[in-house]
Amino acid sequence: MSGAVLFIEEEFEINSTQVELLMGSLVILSVIGGLISGFLADAIGRRKTMLVAAAIVLFGCGVMGLSYSYSLLLLGRILTGIGIGFSYVIAPLYVAEVSSPATRGMLISFPEIMLNVGILLGYVSTFCLSGLPVTINWRLMLGLGGLLALGLAGGVLIIPESPRWLVVQRRTNEALSVLMKISSSDEEAELRLADIILAAEPKNSQQKAATSVLSVEMCLTCDTRLESLTPVCHGNDNEAAGVWRELLCPSPKTQKILFAALGLQFFQQASGIAVLIYYAPSIFSKAGFHSKSGDLGVTMTIGVAKTVFILIATCYLDTSGRRPLLLISSFGMTASMLMLAGSFLLLNFASAAGFAAPFAVLGSISFVSFFSMGFGPMSGLLASEIFPLRLRAQGVSLSMAMNRLLSGILSLTFLSIIHALSPAGTFFLFAGVSTIATVFVYLVIPETKGRSLEELS
């Protein structure tokens, strides 16, 4: 959308407020999708929820690609936002629940990697299609996203259901079958199943859960069907209400988890990443670039840097740990925003104005690179790790709602904020937020490297 909007403005002659609404509507509506997906993921399973997400995004992209008015384009954007909200929650949640502790960090970073690849593909397709007539190019830019939704739907058809969700649904035999496929040995699968059963039981029934675990181990040796056991988790109509009651009126332990998860999501978006992704061409134009092709070319470079550095970070998530990468990330983001703010100050000096555009590009590339090393993959990763099984789906959806809501607010108001504070003042503000984020990570965020989800809960 960041590139397509240049041509949408030209065809529909929309003002800056309409641009902000177009940019922010997808993100704001993804909050609704994220909250709904938590309920659906618990009710119908992780796989079926992904299929729902793919269907909504496919329909939304189709509406955008066929839009003949601003109102219809906005409707397609809203639908796509709801589907993307589903994906933001369910992708890291599912990957966390099928991964082993040794590779979980790397695997949960894959949704973030693919997010960056998608952003890069968006930039590249915008650059390649920009030469087409204005009545065609932006429609192709937005409509082609439906192909990725089809790819998601096809992939979901061949992957197994989450074993942790299966245990909660009292389908323990199926859970064991899945664990046999994704574990390195049958013994590991059996141990993981026993841990999941114990973790799935509410706290006031731990003794009963331990008894059930012993029964599971006995049945494993005699090949008895596991569904014949007394169920560990009793699904009932009040289960979802109980989960939300625990999240909204949390115990001291849950308060700490919520503070860490919501705080990390807040700082991820409050640092300014959304505005750089959505408004990069506009930012570079204000810094001294005066052609659409130049703006789009530099924006594509940002997409490349973001993708490369998330791949680098993936190699170290399970070795260096979460906290060191987050601290490096926040330090670098602060320095990069200071550089970006300084580039706009150079415009006030005739002798140095020529350096403004290069410094703006360098600061932007530096920011997205440091962001992708830590805060990019880590917010979803840690949210998927630190919530206990009973609260995980709804907890992740709540934390993602914080992420999407703040991203949407910034996307809706960025042009107005720049007008009120000036570009330099706006980026100094983001630098201050990144500084506070460094303190937050140091004091609040736990290290989860190498620990099973059951240990963390």
Side-chain angles (χ1 to χ4, degrees), residues 1-12 14 19 22-23 64 73 77 122-127 129-130 133-143 277-279 281-282 292 296 299:
M1 181 58 78
S2 64
V5 74
L6 300 175
F7 305 99
I8 293 169
E9 286 180 288
E10 184 178 337
E11 179 174 348
F12 291 148
I14 56 179
V19 171
L22 195 60
M23 290 293 193
M64 288 192 293
L73 175 61
R77 185 80 168 156
Y123 289 155
V124 171
S125 65
T126 299
F127 184 77
L129 296 171
S130 60
V134 70
T135 55
I136 297 174
N137 57 12
W138 66 264
R139 289 180 169 86
L140 285 176
M141 295 172 193
L142 302 180
I277 297 300
Y278 289 128
Y279 291 101
S282 300
K292 288 181 180 176
L296 295 176
T299 302

Side-chain angles (χ1 to χ4, degrees), residues 47-360:
R47 290 175 70 248
K48 290 180 181 177
T49 303
M50 283 188 261
L51 283 174
V52 172
I56 296 174
V57 171
L58 178 62
F59 186 64
C61 287
V63 171
M64 288 192 293
L66 298 174
S67 295
Y68 55 83
S69 67
Y70 174 79
S71 299
L72 194 59
L73 175 61
L74 186 60
L75 174 62
R77 185 80 168 156
I78 288 170
L79 290 171
T80 306
I82 293 173
I84 288 175
F86 274 73
S87 301
Y88 262 103
V89 172
I90 198 62
L93 173 65
Y94 174 82
V95 176
E97 292 190 340
V98 299
S99 305
S100 68
T103 58
R104 190 175 60 245
M106 178 188 70
L107 293 176
I108 296 182
S109 69
F110 277 10
E112 183 68 22
I113 291 173
M114 292 301 109
L115 174 65
N116 283 276
V117 170
I119 290 171
L120 177 58
L121 287 175
Y123 289 155
V124 171
S125 65
T126 299
F127 184 77
C128 294
L129 296 171
S130 60
L132 295 176
V134 70
T135 55
I136 297 174
N137 57 12
W138 66 264
R139 289 180 169 86
L140 285 176
M141 295 172 193
L142 302 180
L144 286 174
L147 295 177
L148 301 178
L150 286 175
L152 172 62
V156 168
L157 295 177
I158 61 174
I159 61 175
E161 182 55 86
S162 162
R164 289 171 168 85
W165 181 78
L166 291 171
V167 167
V168 172
Q169 298 300 309
R170 301 161 55 185
R171 293 158 61 180
T172 320
N173 204 57
E174 294 176 56
L176 178 60
S177 178
V178 172
L179 287 168
M180 292 284 191
K181 296 176 182 178
I182 63 176
S183 300
S184 57
S185 67
D186 291 352
E187 291 75 15
E188 180 189 335
E190 293 166 4
L191 288 172
R192 289 175 69 179
L193 178 62
D195 287 342
I196 293 169
I197 290 174
L198 187 62
E201 185 69 15
K203 291 180 181 179
N204 60 0
S205 303
Q206 288 294 319
Q207 184 177 359
K208 179 182 175 182
T211 303
S212 295
V213 170
L214 291 174
S215 300
V216 168
E217 293 172 346
M218 291 173 62
C219 287
L220 288 170
T221 60
C222 64
D223 198 28
T224 303
R225 284 188 59 81
L226 296 175
E227 279 84 348
S228 63
L229 295 172
T230 300
V232 193
C233 299
H234 303 276
N236 56 65
D237 294 338
N238 296 322
E239 182 68 19
V243 169
W244 277 109
R245 201 160 39 241
E246 191 165 345
L247 287 172
L248 298 178
C249 302
S251 64
K253 181 180 179 180
T254 305
Q255 285 177 12
K256 292 180 181 178
I257 294 172
L258 283 170
F259 184 60
L262 295 180
L264 200 58
Q265 300 286 5
F266 172 85
F267 285 113
Q268 190 211 51
Q269 291 301 322
S271 63
I273 185 62
V275 300
L276 273 182
I277 297 300
Y278 289 128
Y279 291 101
S282 300
I283 292 170
F284 296 141
S285 177
K286 293 179 183 294
F289 284 92
H290 299 296
S291 71
K292 288 181 180 176
S293 59
D295 291 343
L296 295 176
V298 175
T299 302
M300 188 168 62
T301 305
I302 287 180
V304 172
K306 202 169 185 298
T307 304
V308 168
F309 276 87
I310 186 68
L311 290 171
I312 293 173
T314 300
C315 299
Y316 294 97
L317 281 173
D318 291 311
T319 54
S320 299
R322 286 45 159 168
R323 280 173 53 85
L325 288 177
L326 278 171
L327 289 170
I328 292 171
S329 177
S330 57
F331 273 121
M333 288 158 58
T334 301
S336 302
M337 275 300 180
L338 290 173
M339 184 186 302
L340 189 53
S343 69
F344 284 96
L345 292 179
L346 293 177
L347 293 173
N348 297 321
F349 304 94
S351 59
F355 295 101
F359 271 96

